Amino acid sequence: MDRSPHPVRYRITPVDPHAHLFEVACTVDDPDPQGQRFTLPTWVPGSYLIREFARHFVSVRANGREGAVAIDKLAKDTWLAAPCTGPLTVVAQIYAYDVSVRTAYLDQHRGYFNGPSVFLSPEGRRSAPCELVIDPPPDALRAQWRVATTLPSDGARAYGFGRYRADNYDALIDHPVEMSSFALVHFDANGVPHDIAVTGRHDADLDRLAADLARVCRCHIELFEGPGSRPPFDRYLFQITALGEGYGGLEHASSTSLICRRDELPPRGASTIGDEYLNLLGLASHEYFHGWNVKRIKPAAFTPYDLTRESYTRLLWAFEGITSYYDDLALVRSGVIEPERYLELLGRSITTVLRNPGRHRQSVAASSFDAWIKFYRPDENTPNAVVSYYVKGSLVALALDLLLRREGKASLDDVMRALWQRYGRHGTGVPEDGIERMAAELAGRDLHDFFARYVHGTDDPPLDEWLADFGIDYHVRAAQNATDRGGKAASGTPPRAALDAKVGADMKLLAVYSGGAAERAGLAAGDQLVALDALRAGVETLRVMLERRGPGDAVPIHAFRRDELNEHIVELASPALDTCYLTLQAHPADEILARRTRWMSP
Ligand code: ZN
């Protein structure tokens, strides 16, 4: 437990942008007389993989009142300073060159850090207040860079370097910091200021982005808080890094870090929403919804976070899946997209799940539990053995919402509000059976069968049947080509035959599906196709072969496995009906139309 109210004082300095080095000091005024221990988290909240950030610590030294203090490593993430008279300062040099939302980055163009990867935690001080001085970079950059973070200022000017504070260590590491010459736009949502800071080269219409995000944020706020009410934070920040390639987001209590492709930012002068921009809106919507669902409504296993080891919960399907369901739903509810466009997105999600044989092997609850060793560590067998608690989780959330709405007593909106009121608002963790119990309570009946089949079991929820009750028709067809993601009706003739494998543009097999034609012929993920039916392998050769040959035809396929050439006789299969699209019924009965409208409206 905490021994004293002394704040822990941190200082971070971008000492050498060209060498990508931050220097981070942590000062404890009254160190443990037996020797002060310091630990670094091994994982970051929101990303369920042991990442061992300490591997980027290049050097660590310590100083006490009388000069240098010996500091030893006890474990990969733990240091022990020799007994000394305080104040004790530990200084680490940290290599920061990871373009991700999880760790730290520094070069002459920008600096970024996410607290868990840079801030040591002195043992016994987890709830002590923290001070943080953020130093400017050296030389010329000093005049150009600003700071974007939602850490409360303790003297620093708005967007300035200087002194910030946090209530405790957990708060300190929940406000990532961007430092660069970012572009900045603002909007208001229900009386709370929202900033968007965009780093990276781009020529985007940021006012458009602000206007669209304002509508989405209002929709989420009002779902949880009611019309006109304020969200549970005083300000919010979207930190966006635009790159040529890249995608990712990480949620925080009052901010989010996003990485997107620059063509996902809205282009100037466009009035429509392209697929690329829609991706970014969906990502931003997702992370904002997390401001409630997982940052405040948390699994009991995360209250508090144990950042030294894996924290097991079977509820990630709810915290990620329900969030994934609402991210796109909020786009239609807020009027940013039309219902037809929403159904296109939903059709794509259903397609992703239909093409994932792993859903027959693993439940979303099991996938949640094993995220640490499976979902976050994909390999060639992942499509056959692992289900995504994000995408299938979003369909389970949809199914639960449809089920509740058909029965007329409640909706998933009511469940989320009730979870917020009962658990989130009070900082109480949601027990492992808390989602089921809350949904059952609001539905006024036992929901064991639903949870046993679709959450803890591997059944597909009957979305075709349940969507029909909302005036939506569910269709499946064969994929037309390798880039067909579903969501739309066919626009040409599909191939007649299939390999039952995913082939990359370089003709390498990315995945070989369980029990399919390629697997039966002995092909494996990683094999390099060199000849198809006695012709040189290529995207076009493959397309023509699958168009001209039929199911049951045996074709020779030559492929290298490592450096050995093998011949396989593949008996081609019928194309799977694994591509879904949804359509609005033109003239549904009044009751059905009313139900659909209520679902798609705020
Ligand atoms: Zn998420």
PDB file of all heavy atoms in Angstrom, residues 46 48 249-251 283 286-287 290 293-294 319-321 323-324 327 376 389-390, ligand 1:
ATOM      1  N   GLY A  46      -6.015  -2.349 -23.483  1.00  0.00           N
ATOM      2  CA  GLY A  46      -6.629  -2.217 -24.801  1.00  0.00           C
ATOM      3  C   GLY A  46      -5.964  -3.085 -25.858  1.00  0.00           C
ATOM      4  O   GLY A  46      -6.478  -3.228 -26.960  1.00  0.00           O
ATOM      5  N   TYR A  48      -4.194  -6.854 -26.004  1.00  0.00           N
ATOM      6  CA  TYR A  48      -4.031  -7.967 -25.070  1.00  0.00           C
ATOM      7  C   TYR A  48      -2.938  -8.942 -25.507  1.00  0.00           C
ATOM      8  O   TYR A  48      -3.200 -10.054 -25.962  1.00  0.00           O
ATOM      9  CB  TYR A  48      -5.399  -8.628 -24.848  1.00  0.00           C
ATOM     10  CG  TYR A  48      -6.419  -7.571 -24.486  1.00  0.00           C
ATOM     11  CD1 TYR A  48      -7.398  -7.152 -25.389  1.00  0.00           C
ATOM     12  CD2 TYR A  48      -6.328  -6.899 -23.258  1.00  0.00           C
ATOM     13  CE1 TYR A  48      -8.280  -6.129 -25.060  1.00  0.00           C
ATOM     14  CE2 TYR A  48      -7.210  -5.887 -22.927  1.00  0.00           C
ATOM     15  CZ  TYR A  48      -8.182  -5.497 -23.837  1.00  0.00           C
ATOM     16  OH  TYR A  48      -9.049  -4.483 -23.522  1.00  0.00           O
ATOM     17  N   GLY A 249      -5.876   1.741 -33.800  1.00  0.00           N
ATOM     18  CA  GLY A 249      -6.472   2.677 -32.855  1.00  0.00           C
ATOM     19  C   GLY A 249      -6.324   2.127 -31.461  1.00  0.00           C
ATOM     20  O   GLY A 249      -6.277   0.913 -31.265  1.00  0.00           O
ATOM     21  N   LEU A 250      -6.187   3.017 -30.502  1.00  0.00           N
ATOM     22  CA  LEU A 250      -6.151   2.579 -29.104  1.00  0.00           C
ATOM     23  C   LEU A 250      -6.960   3.572 -28.283  1.00  0.00           C
ATOM     24  O   LEU A 250      -6.797   4.785 -28.415  1.00  0.00           O
ATOM     25  CB  LEU A 250      -4.706   2.499 -28.606  1.00  0.00           C
ATOM     26  CG  LEU A 250      -4.525   1.803 -27.249  1.00  0.00           C
ATOM     27  CD1 LEU A 250      -4.978   0.347 -27.287  1.00  0.00           C
ATOM     28  CD2 LEU A 250      -3.071   1.861 -26.806  1.00  0.00           C
ATOM     29  N   GLU A 251      -7.827   3.013 -27.436  1.00  0.00           N
ATOM     30  CA  GLU A 251      -8.749   3.825 -26.661  1.00  0.00           C
ATOM     31  C   GLU A 251      -8.130   4.271 -25.349  1.00  0.00           C
ATOM     32  O   GLU A 251      -7.352   3.532 -24.751  1.00  0.00           O
ATOM     33  CB  GLU A 251     -10.027   3.020 -26.384  1.00  0.00           C
ATOM     34  CG  GLU A 251      -9.848   1.776 -25.502  1.00  0.00           C
ATOM     35  CD  GLU A 251      -9.437   0.524 -26.277  1.00  0.00           C
ATOM     36  OE1 GLU A 251      -9.062   0.638 -27.447  1.00  0.00           O
ATOM     37  OE2 GLU A 251      -9.504  -0.578 -25.679  1.00  0.00           O
ATOM     38  N   LEU A 283     -13.460   3.769 -37.414  1.00  0.00           N
ATOM     39  CA  LEU A 283     -12.408   3.586 -36.411  1.00  0.00           C
ATOM     40  C   LEU A 283     -12.547   4.624 -35.291  1.00  0.00           C
ATOM     41  O   LEU A 283     -12.494   4.285 -34.102  1.00  0.00           O
ATOM     42  CB  LEU A 283     -11.033   3.705 -37.084  1.00  0.00           C
ATOM     43  CG  LEU A 283      -9.804   3.603 -36.183  1.00  0.00           C
ATOM     44  CD1 LEU A 283      -9.704   2.222 -35.530  1.00  0.00           C
ATOM     45  CD2 LEU A 283      -8.520   3.889 -36.976  1.00  0.00           C
ATOM     46  N   HIS A 286     -15.498   3.819 -33.179  1.00  0.00           N
ATOM     47  CA  HIS A 286     -15.186   2.660 -32.326  1.00  0.00           C
ATOM     48  C   HIS A 286     -14.456   3.107 -31.051  1.00  0.00           C
ATOM     49  O   HIS A 286     -14.867   2.780 -29.934  1.00  0.00           O
ATOM     50  CB  HIS A 286     -14.307   1.688 -33.130  1.00  0.00           C
ATOM     51  CG  HIS A 286     -13.906   0.455 -32.398  1.00  0.00           C
ATOM     52  ND1 HIS A 286     -14.580  -0.737 -32.519  1.00  0.00           N
ATOM     53  CD2 HIS A 286     -12.892   0.214 -31.533  1.00  0.00           C
ATOM     54  CE1 HIS A 286     -14.004  -1.651 -31.762  1.00  0.00           C
ATOM     55  NE2 HIS A 286     -12.964  -1.100 -31.144  1.00  0.00           N
ATOM     56  N   GLU A 287     -13.394   3.887 -31.224  1.00  0.00           N
ATOM     57  CA  GLU A 287     -12.580   4.260 -30.061  1.00  0.00           C
ATOM     58  C   GLU A 287     -13.359   5.193 -29.124  1.00  0.00           C
ATOM     59  O   GLU A 287     -13.185   5.148 -27.907  1.00  0.00           O
ATOM     60  CB  GLU A 287     -11.264   4.915 -30.509  1.00  0.00           C
ATOM     61  CG  GLU A 287     -10.423   4.076 -31.476  1.00  0.00           C
ATOM     62  CD  GLU A 287     -10.071   2.686 -30.969  1.00  0.00           C
ATOM     63  OE1 GLU A 287     -10.239   2.415 -29.776  1.00  0.00           O
ATOM     64  OE2 GLU A 287      -9.635   1.854 -31.796  1.00  0.00           O
ATOM     65  N   HIS A 290     -15.580   3.258 -26.903  1.00  0.00           N
ATOM     66  CA  HIS A 290     -14.769   2.671 -25.828  1.00  0.00           C
ATOM     67  C   HIS A 290     -14.635   3.628 -24.632  1.00  0.00           C
ATOM     68  O   HIS A 290     -14.313   3.173 -23.529  1.00  0.00           O
ATOM     69  CB  HIS A 290     -13.356   2.366 -26.334  1.00  0.00           C
ATOM     70  CG  HIS A 290     -13.179   1.011 -26.935  1.00  0.00           C
ATOM     71  ND1 HIS A 290     -13.732  -0.132 -26.406  1.00  0.00           N
ATOM     72  CD2 HIS A 290     -12.459   0.607 -28.020  1.00  0.00           C
ATOM     73  CE1 HIS A 290     -13.363  -1.174 -27.143  1.00  0.00           C
ATOM     74  NE2 HIS A 290     -12.594  -0.756 -28.136  1.00  0.00           N
ATOM     75  N   ASN A 293     -17.454   1.935 -23.011  1.00  0.00           N
ATOM     76  CA  ASN A 293     -17.375   0.474 -22.975  1.00  0.00           C
ATOM     77  C   ASN A 293     -15.933  -0.025 -23.024  1.00  0.00           C
ATOM     78  O   ASN A 293     -15.365  -0.197 -24.084  1.00  0.00           O
ATOM     79  CB  ASN A 293     -18.168  -0.108 -24.155  1.00  0.00           C
ATOM     80  CG  ASN A 293     -18.477  -1.579 -23.978  1.00  0.00           C
ATOM     81  OD1 ASN A 293     -18.725  -2.032 -22.865  1.00  0.00           O
ATOM     82  ND2 ASN A 293     -18.460  -2.328 -25.070  1.00  0.00           N
ATOM     83  N   VAL A 294     -15.355  -0.246 -21.903  1.00  0.00           N
ATOM     84  CA  VAL A 294     -14.024  -0.800 -21.577  1.00  0.00           C
ATOM     85  C   VAL A 294     -13.139   0.208 -20.845  1.00  0.00           C
ATOM     86  O   VAL A 294     -12.306  -0.175 -20.047  1.00  0.00           O
ATOM     87  CB  VAL A 294     -13.237  -1.431 -22.751  1.00  0.00           C
ATOM     88  CG1 VAL A 294     -12.218  -0.493 -23.390  1.00  0.00           C
ATOM     89  CG2 VAL A 294     -12.528  -2.696 -22.267  1.00  0.00           C
ATOM     90  N   PHE A 319     -16.748  -6.323 -24.863  1.00  0.00           N
ATOM     91  CA  PHE A 319     -16.090  -5.019 -24.841  1.00  0.00           C
ATOM     92  C   PHE A 319     -15.580  -4.621 -26.221  1.00  0.00           C
ATOM     93  O   PHE A 319     -15.622  -3.446 -26.578  1.00  0.00           O
ATOM     94  CB  PHE A 319     -15.006  -4.997 -23.753  1.00  0.00           C
ATOM     95  CG  PHE A 319     -15.656  -5.007 -22.398  1.00  0.00           C
ATOM     96  CD1 PHE A 319     -15.856  -6.188 -21.699  1.00  0.00           C
ATOM     97  CD2 PHE A 319     -16.173  -3.836 -21.877  1.00  0.00           C
ATOM     98  CE1 PHE A 319     -16.525  -6.204 -20.491  1.00  0.00           C
ATOM     99  CE2 PHE A 319     -16.842  -3.832 -20.661  1.00  0.00           C
ATOM    100  CZ  PHE A 319     -17.020  -5.016 -19.965  1.00  0.00           C
ATOM    101  N   GLU A 320     -15.148  -5.581 -27.032  1.00  0.00           N
ATOM    102  CA  GLU A 320     -14.748  -5.256 -28.404  1.00  0.00           C
ATOM    103  C   GLU A 320     -15.874  -5.505 -29.407  1.00  0.00           C
ATOM    104  O   GLU A 320     -16.058  -4.725 -30.336  1.00  0.00           O
ATOM    105  CB  GLU A 320     -13.504  -6.049 -28.801  1.00  0.00           C
ATOM    106  CG  GLU A 320     -12.243  -5.600 -28.087  1.00  0.00           C
ATOM    107  CD  GLU A 320     -11.866  -4.144 -28.338  1.00  0.00           C
ATOM    108  OE1 GLU A 320     -12.422  -3.505 -29.260  1.00  0.00           O
ATOM    109  OE2 GLU A 320     -11.022  -3.631 -27.589  1.00  0.00           O
ATOM    110  N   GLY A 321     -16.614  -6.590 -29.230  1.00  0.00           N
ATOM    111  CA  GLY A 321     -17.665  -6.932 -30.191  1.00  0.00           C
ATOM    112  C   GLY A 321     -18.827  -5.946 -30.140  1.00  0.00           C
ATOM    113  O   GLY A 321     -19.288  -5.464 -31.181  1.00  0.00           O
ATOM    114  N   THR A 323     -18.678  -2.947 -29.041  1.00  0.00           N
ATOM    115  CA  THR A 323     -18.127  -1.680 -29.538  1.00  0.00           C
ATOM    116  C   THR A 323     -18.060  -1.697 -31.067  1.00  0.00           C
ATOM    117  O   THR A 323     -18.391  -0.698 -31.725  1.00  0.00           O
ATOM    118  CB  THR A 323     -16.737  -1.440 -28.917  1.00  0.00           C
ATOM    119  OG1 THR A 323     -16.880  -1.426 -27.493  1.00  0.00           O
ATOM    120  CG2 THR A 323     -16.141  -0.117 -29.361  1.00  0.00           C
ATOM    121  N   SER A 324     -17.670  -2.844 -31.635  1.00  0.00           N
ATOM    122  CA  SER A 324     -17.610  -2.949 -33.098  1.00  0.00           C
ATOM    123  C   SER A 324     -19.005  -2.874 -33.721  1.00  0.00           C
ATOM    124  O   SER A 324     -19.167  -2.385 -34.837  1.00  0.00           O
ATOM    125  CB  SER A 324     -16.939  -4.259 -33.514  1.00  0.00           C
ATOM    126  OG  SER A 324     -15.610  -4.289 -33.060  1.00  0.00           O
ATOM    127  N   ASP A 327     -19.960   0.887 -33.560  1.00  0.00           N
ATOM    128  CA  ASP A 327     -19.157   1.866 -34.304  1.00  0.00           C
ATOM    129  C   ASP A 327     -19.818   2.208 -35.641  1.00  0.00           C
ATOM    130  O   ASP A 327     -19.980   3.387 -35.982  1.00  0.00           O
ATOM    131  CB  ASP A 327     -17.667   1.453 -34.415  1.00  0.00           C
ATOM    132  CG  ASP A 327     -17.388   0.141 -35.135  1.00  0.00           C
ATOM    133  OD1 ASP A 327     -18.203  -0.296 -35.970  1.00  0.00           O
ATOM    134  OD2 ASP A 327     -16.303  -0.428 -34.863  1.00  0.00           O
ATOM    135  N   TYR A 376      -4.111 -12.293 -30.828  1.00  0.00           N
ATOM    136  CA  TYR A 376      -3.042 -11.301 -31.000  1.00  0.00           C
ATOM    137  C   TYR A 376      -1.761 -11.897 -31.569  1.00  0.00           C
ATOM    138  O   TYR A 376      -0.782 -11.188 -31.762  1.00  0.00           O
ATOM    139  CB  TYR A 376      -2.756 -10.580 -29.673  1.00  0.00           C
ATOM    140  CG  TYR A 376      -3.576  -9.317 -29.529  1.00  0.00           C
ATOM    141  CD1 TYR A 376      -4.782  -9.302 -28.879  1.00  0.00           C
ATOM    142  CD2 TYR A 376      -3.119  -8.126 -30.107  1.00  0.00           C
ATOM    143  CE1 TYR A 376      -5.536  -8.148 -28.771  1.00  0.00           C
ATOM    144  CE2 TYR A 376      -3.854  -6.959 -30.012  1.00  0.00           C
ATOM    145  CZ  TYR A 376      -5.068  -6.978 -29.341  1.00  0.00           C
ATOM    146  OH  TYR A 376      -5.803  -5.823 -29.251  1.00  0.00           O
ATOM    147  N   TYR A 389     -13.148 -12.130 -31.859  1.00  0.00           N
ATOM    148  CA  TYR A 389     -14.185 -11.640 -30.934  1.00  0.00           C
ATOM    149  C   TYR A 389     -14.625 -10.239 -31.331  1.00  0.00           C
ATOM    150  O   TYR A 389     -15.647  -9.761 -30.864  1.00  0.00           O
ATOM    151  CB  TYR A 389     -13.723 -11.716 -29.475  1.00  0.00           C
ATOM    152  CG  TYR A 389     -12.392 -11.074 -29.186  1.00  0.00           C
ATOM    153  CD1 TYR A 389     -12.265  -9.693 -29.090  1.00  0.00           C
ATOM    154  CD2 TYR A 389     -11.261 -11.849 -29.003  1.00  0.00           C
ATOM    155  CE1 TYR A 389     -11.040  -9.111 -28.823  1.00  0.00           C
ATOM    156  CE2 TYR A 389     -10.030 -11.275 -28.737  1.00  0.00           C
ATOM    157  CZ  TYR A 389      -9.923  -9.907 -28.659  1.00  0.00           C
ATOM    158  OH  TYR A 389      -8.712  -9.326 -28.397  1.00  0.00           O
ATOM    159  N   TYR A 390     -13.898  -9.584 -32.204  1.00  0.00           N
ATOM    160  CA  TYR A 390     -14.368  -8.302 -32.750  1.00  0.00           C
ATOM    161  C   TYR A 390     -15.516  -8.534 -33.733  1.00  0.00           C
ATOM    162  O   TYR A 390     -16.620  -8.042 -33.529  1.00  0.00           O
ATOM    163  CB  TYR A 390     -13.248  -7.602 -33.529  1.00  0.00           C
ATOM    164  CG  TYR A 390     -12.204  -6.917 -32.700  1.00  0.00           C
ATOM    165  CD1 TYR A 390     -11.134  -7.635 -32.177  1.00  0.00           C
ATOM    166  CD2 TYR A 390     -12.260  -5.550 -32.471  1.00  0.00           C
ATOM    167  CE1 TYR A 390     -10.148  -6.995 -31.441  1.00  0.00           C
ATOM    168  CE2 TYR A 390     -11.270  -4.903 -31.741  1.00  0.00           C
ATOM    169  CZ  TYR A 390     -10.222  -5.632 -31.221  1.00  0.00           C
ATOM    170  OH  TYR A 390      -9.254  -5.005 -30.497  1.00  0.00           O
TER     171      TYR A 390
HETATM  172 ZN    ZN B   1     -11.670  -1.746 -29.704  1.00  0.00          ZN
END
